[in-house]
Amino acid sequence: MMPVTPESRLHRRWNVPFSRRTRGLTTVILAAAVLAVLAVFPALRPPRNGGSQDAGAAAPAVTRGNFQSTVVLNGSLTALRSEELKAPITETWRVQIKWMVKEGESVKHGDPVVRFDTANIAASIETAQDSLRAKREERDRKKTEYENQKFELDVEVKEAENDNRQRSLDASIPEGLESKYEYDRKQLEKKRSDQTLASSLTNKIVKQAEFESQLKTLAIEVNELEAQLEKLRDSLEGLTLIARTDGTVLYGVDDWTGRKVQVGDIVFATYTVASIPDLKSLVVQAWISETHIQRIQKGQPVDLYLDAYPDKQYKGVIRDISRSAESVRRWGRAHYFRADIDMEKIEPDVMKPGMSVKCMVRGTARKDVLIVPLAMTSFDGRSFWVKAAGGDAFKLAALDYDEFAVAAGVAENPRLKAGMA
């Protein structure tokens, strides 16, 4: 076989049929022409909206009209009243979630909502049952031994009493009717019989007290095991959380991460894994930053927009503002004031606890004022300043402001004119 060299490859390429080479060159030429046309086309296309291609955007300018400041807050729907379902207290103080009703589903009184893992407690119940069974058998055996021992002690005492009675009769014969030896012997036997009877009675009392003490101890141990078993059975029942009210189920949320509880999570005792809110007690809970707290007061009107239904607008009023700031863990180290907003209308079919809400707090309406875009101003911590084109900076007598503009009175700002850029 001839070896393949660069020269042989070039020879094979230029010895292909002429028609194939012609089609390849034609394809390359057409592709180059198309690319050239596409490159020239943008330059030939007229500019949009009839403007020039390099026309800049209109510069911001002062306008005159009506102004109402707006502060936008982040909020969410919250139920003032709800049934909280908490993880039960067990021996290990933590349990794993095995099953939960789907979030958003409706439940009725008596329906199961959450079930936890029962493997550990089931094993504990089986162990407790075995221990209780063994302790009961030990108690029954001890009772039988006690009855047998009691019978034997009664027989022993009865024999001692019979012997003592006989010895007493023998010793009752007056001295002189028989020999002195015989008389002394019977008296000695009588004393021995008295001692034997006393010993039998004492032994009976001691043995019975010992057995009764053992039986009482066993009874206490049996009662303790029964109480422990009953507690474990109650704990087993407590591993299924039952709804006490009718409503919609919501999963618990971790304060640090904002993550909702899920099946398979291991939670500690008393942790809220789900809740059933009362939809009739819904309010909007919003958070006010420290920079905005001075601009928001109780009774201010609020326009509310659900993130899930942005086209729907609801009216509300700020009912209460917390007096102290608190941190929202999932938002970092900044502090916020909590505001409760009452809604004029509640739609339970649309509104669900936990929904995000955009809250637009409306300030005082200002009529016929000069409106300066915020981008045209500077703020020194106390006052707003503005500088006209080609002039010096001067301080504004501001009436109000928001994130977009500053409102200034016409009479109080003679140097500020509408149309100024």
Side-chain angles (χ1 to χ4, degrees):
M1 180 181 295
M2 182 181 294
V4 179
T5 62
E7 292 77 6
S8 63
R9 285 198 295 268
L10 182 63
H11 175 78
R12 287 199 299 268
R13 184 178 65 181
W14 285 105
N15 282 280
V16 296
F18 177 78
S19 59
R20 290 174 58 188
R21 283 186 288 148
T22 304
R23 287 197 298 270
L25 292 173
T26 303
T27 301
V28 172
I29 294 171
L30 289 176
V34 171
L35 292 175
V37 172
L38 292 176
V40 176
F41 179 74
L44 299 177
R45 185 177 59 187
R48 294 183 179 178
N49 302 325
S52 61
Q53 187 178 1
D54 57 350
V62 178
T63 60
R64 185 168 179 172
N66 300 329
F67 177 83
Q68 186 176 27
S69 64
T70 302
V71 178
V72 180
L73 306 177
N74 291 324
S76 61
L77 290 175
T78 304
L80 296 179
R81 299 184 301 272
S82 65
E83 177 190 355
E84 294 186 344
L85 303 175
K86 299 179 180 292
I89 299 176
T90 60
E91 292 180 342
T92 59
W93 283 87
R94 60 180 185 176
V95 286
Q96 184 179 28
I97 301 173
K98 282 297 184 181
W99 172 85
M100 296 179 73
V101 170
K102 290 184 179 179
E103 188 175 30
E105 286 192 1
S106 298
V107 294
K108 295 183 179 180
H109 175 78
D111 290 345
V113 179
V114 184
R115 287 195 178 97
F116 298 95
D117 184 21
T118 61
N120 292 335
I121 197 166
S124 298
I125 288 176
E126 185 175 356
T127 301
Q129 287 176 337
D130 293 340
S131 300
L132 179 59
R133 188 181 304 110
K135 192 60 67 175
R136 283 174 174 172
E137 292 176 355
E138 182 181 357
R139 180 196 60 185
D140 294 339
R141 287 196 303 269
K142 187 61 67 174
K143 282 183 178 180
T144 303
E145 293 178 8
Y146 173 71
E147 296 297 331
N148 294 335
Q149 186 72 21
K150 184 180 179 181
F151 176 77
E152 293 177 358
L153 292 172
D154 289 340
V155 170
E156 181 181 346
V157 170
K158 185 65 67 177
E159 291 178 349
E161 289 176 344
N162 292 335
D163 182 71
N164 183 261
R165 191 179 298 111
Q166 183 64 41
R167 300 302 177 186
S168 298
L169 290 174
D170 294 342
S172 62
I173 299 175
E175 185 178 2
L177 296 179
E178 54 186 356
S179 64
K180 184 173 178 54
Y181 171 80
E182 193 66 25
Y183 176 81
D184 291 340
R185 182 181 65 80
K186 290 180 179 180
Q187 294 300 322
L188 180 60
E189 290 178 352
K190 169 67 171 55
K191 289 181 180 180
R192 290 177 178 174
S193 178
D194 291 339
Q195 293 176 355
T196 302
L197 177 59
S199 177
S200 299
L201 291 172
T202 301
N203 184 49
K204 177 181 178 181
I205 293 173
V206 171
K207 290 290 183 66
Q208 285 184 345
E210 182 181 349
F211 267 94
E212 289 173 357
S213 175
Q214 293 176 357
L215 288 174
K216 288 181 180 179
T217 301
L218 289 172
I220 292 173
E221 293 176 353
V222 168
N223 291 336
E224 289 178 349
L225 289 173
E226 288 175 344
Q228 180 183 357
L229 181 59
E230 188 65 23
K231 183 179 179 181
L232 289 173
R233 286 171 176 168
D234 291 341
S235 299
L236 182 63
E237 293 181 1
L239 291 177
T240 300
L241 303 183
I242 305 297
R244 306 301 178 189
T245 57
D246 299 346
T248 303
V249 176
L250 293 179
Y251 290 174
V253 179
D254 184 79
D255 292 337
W256 290 97
T257 63
R259 175 183 174 275
K260 290 190 175 182
V261 173
Q262 299 177 6
V263 174
D265 288 352
I266 297 176
V267 295
F268 287 92
T270 71
Y271 185 85
T272 301
V273 295
S275 62
I276 304 176
D278 181 3
L279 299 182
K280 296 180 181 179
S281 66
L282 283 178
V283 298
V284 176
Q285 189 177 83
W287 297 95
I288 308 171
S289 67
E290 294 175 290
T291 57
H292 290 148
I293 188 61
Q294 296 296 334
R295 304 182 56 204
I296 298 178
Q297 305 294 330
K298 293 182 182 179
Q300 277 187 269
V302 186
D303 294 335
L304 305 171
Y305 299 89
L306 300 177
D307 287 357
Y309 303 94
D311 297 334
K312 288 190 174 185
Q313 179 182 355
Y314 299 91
K315 297 293 185 180
V317 176
I318 295 180
R319 184 189 66 184
D320 189 28
I321 300 176
S322 61
R323 296 184 179 181
S324 59
E326 55 186 289
S327 61
V328 182
R329 292 174 178 174
R330 58 182 179 274
W331 289 353
R333 297 183 179 180
H335 288 76
Y336 300 85
F337 294 84
R338 187 181 67 253
D340 292 335
I341 303 173
D342 288 333
M343 293 178 289
E344 293 183 357
K345 181 176 64 173
I346 297 177
E347 296 181 355
D349 295 337
V350 174
M351 300 177 178
K352 304 297 180 185
M355 279 186 168
S356 298
V357 183
K358 182 174 73 173
C359 311
M360 302 183 67
V361 183
R362 302 296 183 183
T364 304
R366 311 281 182 176
K367 295 184 178 180
D368 192 24
V369 296
L370 295 170
I371 304 172
V372 185
L374 192 66
M376 294 178 60
T377 67
S378 62
F379 186 71
D380 61 3
R382 291 178 297 177
S383 303
F384 288 96
W385 292 74
V386 68
K387 180 181 179 181
D392 297 329
F394 57 92
K395 184 168 64 174
L396 291 178
L399 298 174
D400 202 353
Y401 69 94
D402 59 14
E403 287 82 358
F404 306 101
V406 179
V410 177
E412 294 82 2
N413 297 272
R415 298 179 61 181
L416 190 65
K417 305 296 181 182
M420 181 181 291

Short mmCIF file of all heavy atoms in Angstrom, two decimals, residues 4 17 33 45 83 111 135 145 157 179 188 207 213 215 226 242 277 281 333 346 355:
data_model
loop_
_atom_site.label_atom_id
_atom_site.label_comp_id
_atom_site.label_asym_id
_atom_site.label_seq_id
_atom_site.Cartn_x
_atom_site.Cartn_y
_atom_site.Cartn_z
N VAL A 4 0.59 7.46 2.86
CA VAL A 4 -0.14 8.71 2.71
C VAL A 4 0.77 9.86 3.10
O VAL A 4 1.27 9.91 4.22
CB VAL A 4 -1.42 8.71 3.59
CG1 VAL A 4 -2.16 10.02 3.44
CG2 VAL A 4 -2.31 7.54 3.20
N PRO A 17 -13.74 15.35 -9.58
CA PRO A 17 -14.42 15.83 -10.79
C PRO A 17 -14.65 17.32 -10.74
O PRO A 17 -14.86 17.92 -9.68
CB PRO A 17 -15.74 15.04 -10.77
CG PRO A 17 -15.43 13.82 -9.98
CD PRO A 17 -14.43 14.25 -8.95
N ALA A 33 -21.61 36.49 0.27
CA ALA A 33 -22.49 37.59 -0.15
C ALA A 33 -23.58 37.85 0.88
O ALA A 33 -23.91 39.00 1.18
CB ALA A 33 -23.10 37.23 -1.52
N ARG A 45 -30.89 50.75 7.66
CA ARG A 45 -32.22 50.78 8.26
C ARG A 45 -32.47 52.13 8.90
O ARG A 45 -31.63 52.65 9.61
CB ARG A 45 -32.31 49.67 9.32
CG ARG A 45 -33.69 49.52 9.92
CD ARG A 45 -33.68 48.36 10.89
NE ARG A 45 -32.67 48.60 11.94
CZ ARG A 45 -32.34 47.70 12.85
NH1 ARG A 45 -32.91 46.51 12.83
NH2 ARG A 45 -31.44 47.99 13.77
N GLU A 83 -54.11 27.74 64.74
CA GLU A 83 -53.80 26.55 65.53
C GLU A 83 -52.40 26.07 65.13
O GLU A 83 -52.17 25.76 63.95
CB GLU A 83 -54.81 25.44 65.29
CG GLU A 83 -54.48 24.15 66.03
CD GLU A 83 -55.34 22.97 65.60
OE1 GLU A 83 -56.26 23.17 64.79
OE2 GLU A 83 -55.07 21.85 66.07
N ASP A 111 -59.05 15.43 61.49
CA ASP A 111 -58.23 14.88 60.41
C ASP A 111 -56.75 14.86 60.81
O ASP A 111 -56.26 15.80 61.44
CB ASP A 111 -58.38 15.72 59.14
CG ASP A 111 -59.75 15.58 58.51
OD1 ASP A 111 -60.47 14.63 58.90
OD2 ASP A 111 -60.10 16.40 57.65
N LYS A 135 -42.09 -8.54 85.18
CA LYS A 135 -42.31 -8.07 86.55
C LYS A 135 -43.62 -8.61 87.13
O LYS A 135 -43.69 -8.96 88.32
CB LYS A 135 -42.29 -6.55 86.57
CG LYS A 135 -42.22 -5.95 87.96
CD LYS A 135 -40.96 -6.38 88.70
CE LYS A 135 -39.72 -5.82 88.07
NZ LYS A 135 -38.50 -6.15 88.86
N GLU A 145 -45.33 -17.85 96.67
CA GLU A 145 -44.39 -18.18 97.74
C GLU A 145 -44.87 -17.66 99.09
O GLU A 145 -44.72 -18.32 100.12
CB GLU A 145 -43.01 -17.59 97.41
CG GLU A 145 -42.32 -18.23 96.20
CD GLU A 145 -40.99 -17.57 95.91
OE1 GLU A 145 -40.56 -16.73 96.75
OE2 GLU A 145 -40.40 -17.88 94.86
N VAL A 157 -46.47 -22.65 113.93
CA VAL A 157 -46.99 -22.02 115.15
C VAL A 157 -48.02 -22.92 115.82
O VAL A 157 -48.06 -23.07 117.05
CB VAL A 157 -47.59 -20.64 114.82
CG1 VAL A 157 -48.35 -20.08 116.03
CG2 VAL A 157 -46.50 -19.68 114.38
N SER A 179 -41.98 -37.60 141.71
CA SER A 179 -40.61 -37.39 142.17
C SER A 179 -40.13 -36.00 141.76
O SER A 179 -40.62 -35.40 140.80
CB SER A 179 -39.69 -38.45 141.56
OG SER A 179 -39.65 -38.31 140.16
N LEU A 188 -38.83 -27.82 133.12
CA LEU A 188 -37.85 -27.41 132.11
C LEU A 188 -38.41 -27.54 130.69
O LEU A 188 -38.22 -26.65 129.86
CB LEU A 188 -36.59 -28.26 132.28
CG LEU A 188 -35.45 -27.95 131.30
CD1 LEU A 188 -34.99 -26.50 131.45
CD2 LEU A 188 -34.28 -28.92 131.52
N LYS A 207 -41.15 -13.14 108.93
CA LYS A 207 -41.21 -13.67 107.56
C LYS A 207 -42.38 -13.05 106.81
O LYS A 207 -42.25 -12.69 105.62
CB LYS A 207 -41.37 -15.20 107.61
CG LYS A 207 -40.14 -15.93 108.10
CD LYS A 207 -39.04 -15.84 107.05
CE LYS A 207 -37.80 -16.62 107.46
NZ LYS A 207 -38.02 -18.05 107.52
N SER A 213 -43.32 -6.83 102.39
CA SER A 213 -42.49 -5.73 101.89
C SER A 213 -42.06 -6.00 100.45
O SER A 213 -42.09 -5.10 99.59
CB SER A 213 -41.27 -5.55 102.79
OG SER A 213 -40.39 -4.57 102.26
N LEU A 215 -43.63 -7.88 98.32
CA LEU A 215 -44.81 -7.77 97.45
C LEU A 215 -45.16 -6.31 97.18
O LEU A 215 -45.55 -5.95 96.06
CB LEU A 215 -46.00 -8.48 98.11
CG LEU A 215 -45.93 -10.01 98.11
CD1 LEU A 215 -47.09 -10.60 98.91
CD2 LEU A 215 -45.97 -10.54 96.68
N GLU A 226 -46.30 0.06 84.34
CA GLU A 226 -47.59 0.31 83.68
C GLU A 226 -47.73 1.78 83.30
O GLU A 226 -48.21 2.10 82.20
CB GLU A 226 -48.73 -0.12 84.60
CG GLU A 226 -48.86 -1.62 84.75
CD GLU A 226 -49.92 -2.02 85.76
OE1 GLU A 226 -50.34 -1.14 86.56
OE2 GLU A 226 -50.33 -3.19 85.77
N ILE A 242 -53.34 15.87 65.10
CA ILE A 242 -54.71 15.93 64.61
C ILE A 242 -55.18 17.39 64.59
O ILE A 242 -54.88 18.16 65.50
CB ILE A 242 -55.64 15.08 65.50
CG1 ILE A 242 -55.11 13.65 65.60
CG2 ILE A 242 -57.06 15.09 64.97
CD1 ILE A 242 -55.07 12.91 64.28
N PRO A 277 -54.31 28.43 60.06
CA PRO A 277 -54.70 29.80 60.41
C PRO A 277 -56.20 30.03 60.23
O PRO A 277 -56.86 29.36 59.45
CB PRO A 277 -53.90 30.65 59.42
CG PRO A 277 -53.69 29.75 58.24
CD PRO A 277 -53.59 28.35 58.78
N SER A 281 -59.00 36.23 60.27
CA SER A 281 -58.17 37.14 61.07
C SER A 281 -56.93 37.59 60.31
O SER A 281 -55.94 38.00 60.92
CB SER A 281 -57.75 36.44 62.36
OG SER A 281 -56.88 35.34 62.08
N ARG A 333 -28.40 41.72 59.31
CA ARG A 333 -28.27 42.33 60.63
C ARG A 333 -29.07 43.61 60.79
O ARG A 333 -29.10 44.18 61.88
CB ARG A 333 -26.80 42.61 60.91
CG ARG A 333 -25.93 41.35 60.98
CD ARG A 333 -24.50 41.71 61.33
NE ARG A 333 -23.66 40.51 61.43
CZ ARG A 333 -22.37 40.52 61.73
NH1 ARG A 333 -21.76 41.69 61.93
NH2 ARG A 333 -21.69 39.40 61.80
N ILE A 346 -61.32 41.19 52.83
CA ILE A 346 -60.57 39.93 52.86
C ILE A 346 -61.25 38.94 51.93
O ILE A 346 -62.46 38.72 52.00
CB ILE A 346 -60.51 39.36 54.29
CG1 ILE A 346 -59.74 40.31 55.21
CG2 ILE A 346 -59.83 37.99 54.29
CD1 ILE A 346 -59.69 39.86 56.65
N MET A 355 -48.52 34.77 51.82
CA MET A 355 -48.37 35.43 50.53
C MET A 355 -47.62 36.75 50.68
O MET A 355 -47.85 37.50 51.61
CB MET A 355 -49.74 35.69 49.90
CG MET A 355 -50.36 34.51 49.20
SD MET A 355 -51.89 35.01 48.35
CE MET A 355 -52.19 33.55 47.35
#
